[in-house]
Amino acid sequence: HDSTSLPAHIYYRGSRWSGDLNQQPPTPSFNSSDTVIDAISVGTSDREDYVLGQVNSWAAHKSIRYFFGTSEQDNAQPHCVQRLTVNDTAEIASYCSGKAWKRANPKIRYIRNPFSHGELLKKHDKGPQWMCSHKSFAHAIGKLGRFYRRELAEGNFELPDFLFIQEDDTYYHMPNLDYFLQDVDPKLPLAEAGCLVRWPVSEILFSYPFGGFGFILSRGAIERLIRPVHCGANATMNEGHGDDDDFTISVCSQLEENLVGESFAWQDGMSVSDLMDAHAAYFPYHRHSKWRQPGFCMHGDWTLGYYVNYYGIGTPHSYFKNDKVRIEQQLGYMYDQSEGNCNNVGQAHCEQDAHVCRQIHPTSMTFLVRKVLKVHPDDFPPEKA
């Protein structure tokens, strides 16, 4: 796994730019709105038309600076699908929810148990692809973090006001989101789910952004996500922050808890984005028979929820009075029933007042953005649309 490579496909103003460490990104020169947004989309190499559908529809909005399209080729084990059988996926599912972990931390038991059912996966020929995709968010965020740090170190680069993280069939109504974000201070460390899934508070303080509905991080949250952290004897190396700021304390204390086995992959000086990447790489699915530790037993959006909540990427919610709940739910949430944007599944349910929709085909993205253009023609510059 090349730990220094960038996401495979970077699109700038609708044109592919294949980035590498020796090539500078294009200098942003577009006439943006007041808000600057980068977007990273997680998909698969067998349906790149979905990513291109996003690039040529909502990502043509004037606020979008860079669009990163990733696939399994960006993962630590890019041939994961080819190396797994359907039986392997069933065995991994059984391991993740098996009796061996009933004595584990209650939080871990609660998170692991619904991972999947082995018998169900045995009947699903797409099981290997489904299983391997769980790591894609972690690897994509790891690569993006390295890209940002490199560009910041070389100067003449600023982080975006917001980062959009989504699957390849996510559609954003950009004018509505642009308006929504006008009241959000990007300097604050905030995380907003397009649709927040809340688990029963009586069981566990855990929430995560439903992957298909997107996830938004502010600049303040991105800064935390990509900041190198030193713990213990090396804490004095935390440049400009020391060992006593809340974020450093949050990261180092969470590493000691090691709730999902992430500390096995930790190396001092990593950022949280680095840790997400390394954690997913540390437990290869094709070597599941040799796992003697927790393994990697989280869906991709669970991974985002875990690290943002438990590693202090966002700001705690006062109404839960707990620092492990750090994701906003203003756009929609699922608990006993779906609210807000959580109901926007498919083109038929993607109305003009929506902020985000999921399971949208590329042709539907084109249809939807054309409707938006009639109302907001100035939001999509000709050179980008």
Side-chain angles (χ1 to χ4, degrees), residues 161-173:
D161 294 319
F162 300 98
L163 172 66
F164 286 9
I165 305 168
Q166 67 281 324
E167 294 181 359
D168 62 359
D169 62 357
T170 302
Y171 175 83
Y172 296 116
H173 189 300

Side-chain angles (χ1 to χ4, degrees), residues 30 187 265 286:
F30 59 91
K187 295 188 295 296
H286 68 275

Side-chain angles (χ1 to χ4, degrees), residues 11 13-14 41 49-64 67 166-175 350 357 360-373 376 379-385:
Y11 298 87
R13 301 173 78 177
S41 195
D49 57 320
Y50 276 77
V51 170
L52 289 172
Q54 293 176 322
V55 169
N56 294 317
S57 61
W58 60 262
H61 189 264
K62 61 184 180 180
S63 64
I64 300 290
F67 182 101
Q166 67 281 324
E167 294 181 359
D168 62 359
D169 62 357
T170 302
Y171 175 83
Y172 296 116
H173 189 300
M174 290 303 300
C350 195
C357 310
I360 306 298
H361 189 273
T363 56
S364 296
M365 294 183 195
T366 301
F367 172 80
L368 290 166
V369 83
R370 283 175 179 168
K371 291 175 64 176
V372 174
L373 271 166
H376 304 276
D379 279 17
F380 296 84
E383 67 271 22
K384 293 191 73 181

Side-chain angles (χ1 to χ4, degrees), residues 21 41-42 53 110 117 133 135 150 180 192 208 261 275 306 326 381:
L21 289 176
S41 195
V42 176
Y110 201 87
H117 298 287
S133 70
K135 296 187 175 186
R150 188 201 75 176
F180 170 79
E192 178 75 52
Y208 63 90
L275 177 59
Y306 174 71
R326 294 173 178 261

Side-chain angles (χ1 to χ4, degrees), residues 36 38 65 144-145 148-149 152 159-165 186-190 216-227 247 271 273 313-314:
V36 177
D38 287 352
R65 180 179 64 168
L144 184 59
Y148 280 154
R149 285 203 305 273
L152 288 169
L159 293 173
D161 294 319
F162 300 98
L163 172 66
F164 286 9
I165 305 168
K187 295 188 295 296
L188 299 176
L190 300 171
I216 302 173
L217 296 181
S218 68
R219 188 191 320 134
I222 301 168
E223 288 171 349
R224 289 185 172 189
L225 184 70
I226 69 174
R227 183 203 299 180
F247 176 66
S271 64
S273 60
I313 302 301

Side-chain angles (χ1 to χ4, degrees), residues 2 16 58 81 84 96 112 116 126 157 162-163 203 216 240 291 296 338 348-349 369:
D2 182 359
R16 177 181 293 191
W58 60 262
V81 175
L84 285 188
C96 286
R112 294 170 67 100
S116 186
K126 290 287 187 180
F157 181 84
F162 300 98
L163 172 66
E203 298 288 344
I216 302 173
W291 286 357
F296 193 84
S338 297
H349 300 284
V369 83

Side-chain angles (χ1 to χ4, degrees), residues 116-379:
S116 186
H117 298 287
E119 292 304 314
L120 180 63
L121 283 172
K122 285 182 180 179
K123 303 174 184 178
H124 200 319
D125 60 356
K126 290 287 187 180
Q129 186 177 51
W130 177 83
M131 184 72 67
C132 295
S133 70
H134 293 323
K135 296 187 175 186
S136 294
F137 275 114
H139 292 311
I141 296 301
K143 281 194 169 186
L144 184 59
R146 289 189 289 276
F147 171 80
Y148 280 154
R149 285 203 305 273
R150 188 201 75 176
E151 295 304 314
L152 288 169
E154 293 187 0
N156 197 30
F157 181 84
E158 294 183 358
L159 293 173
D161 294 319
F162 300 98
L163 172 66
F164 286 9
I165 305 168
Q166 67 281 324
E167 294 181 359
D168 62 359
D169 62 357
T170 302
Y171 175 83
Y172 296 116
H173 189 300
M174 290 303 300
N176 289 351
L177 273 177
D178 205 24
Y179 181 79
F180 170 79
L181 293 172
Q182 287 178 13
D183 294 329
V184 180
D185 185 351
K187 295 188 295 296
L188 299 176
L190 300 171
E192 178 75 52
C195 171
L196 185 71
V197 180
R198 287 167 32 189
W199 287 12
V201 176
S202 60
E203 298 288 344
I204 183 174
L205 279 167
F206 184 66
S207 61
Y208 63 90
F210 198 134
F213 288 102
F215 194 32
I216 302 173
L217 296 181
S218 68
R219 188 191 320 134
I222 301 168
E223 288 171 349
R224 289 185 172 189
L225 184 70
I226 69 174
R227 183 203 299 180
V229 174
H230 300 274
C231 298
N234 296 323
T236 55
M237 298 170 63
N238 288 303
E239 184 177 351
H241 300 285
D243 61 353
D244 59 350
D245 74 291
D246 291 342
F247 176 66
T248 299
I249 292 171
S250 176
V251 172
C252 296
S253 63
Q254 196 61 43
L255 283 166
E256 291 182 5
E257 287 195 51
N258 195 27
L259 287 181
V260 293
E262 69 271 29
S263 297
F264 298 119
W266 169 260
Q267 294 182 23
D268 198 67
M270 280 182 168
S271 64
V272 174
S273 60
D274 292 331
L275 177 59
M276 292 173 68
D277 190 18
H279 176 204
Y282 190 83
F283 297 102
Y285 282 136
H286 68 275
R287 301 192 64 183
H288 65 91
S289 63
K290 299 185 182 300
W291 286 357
R292 295 294 181 270
Q293 293 153 342
F296 193 84
C297 299
M298 294 193 292
H299 295 185
D301 43 12
W302 298 1
T303 304
L304 292 173
Y306 174 71
Y307 279 101
V308 170
N309 284 319
Y310 282 79
Y311 276 82
I313 302 301
T315 299
H317 285 291
S318 59
Y319 52 81
F320 277 119
K321 303 195 183 303
N322 188 288
D323 66 353
K324 304 303 185 187
V325 181
R326 294 173 178 261
I327 301 178
E328 298 280 351
Q329 60 179 42
Q330 295 182 67
L331 295 175
Y333 67 89
M334 280 186 191
Y335 188 57
D336 289 332
Q337 59 186 7
S338 297
E339 302 285 345
N341 285 278
C342 299
N343 293 310
N344 303 336
V345 181
Q347 178 184 326
H349 300 284
C350 195
E351 303 294 342
Q352 284 296 297
D353 60 348
H355 292 88
V356 59
C357 310
R358 69 181 289 254
Q359 292 185 3
I360 306 298
H361 189 273
T363 56
S364 296
M365 294 183 195
T366 301
F367 172 80
L368 290 166
V369 83
R370 283 175 179 168
K371 291 175 64 176
V372 174
L373 271 166
K374 292 179 180 179
V375 183
H376 304 276
D378 296 335
D379 279 17

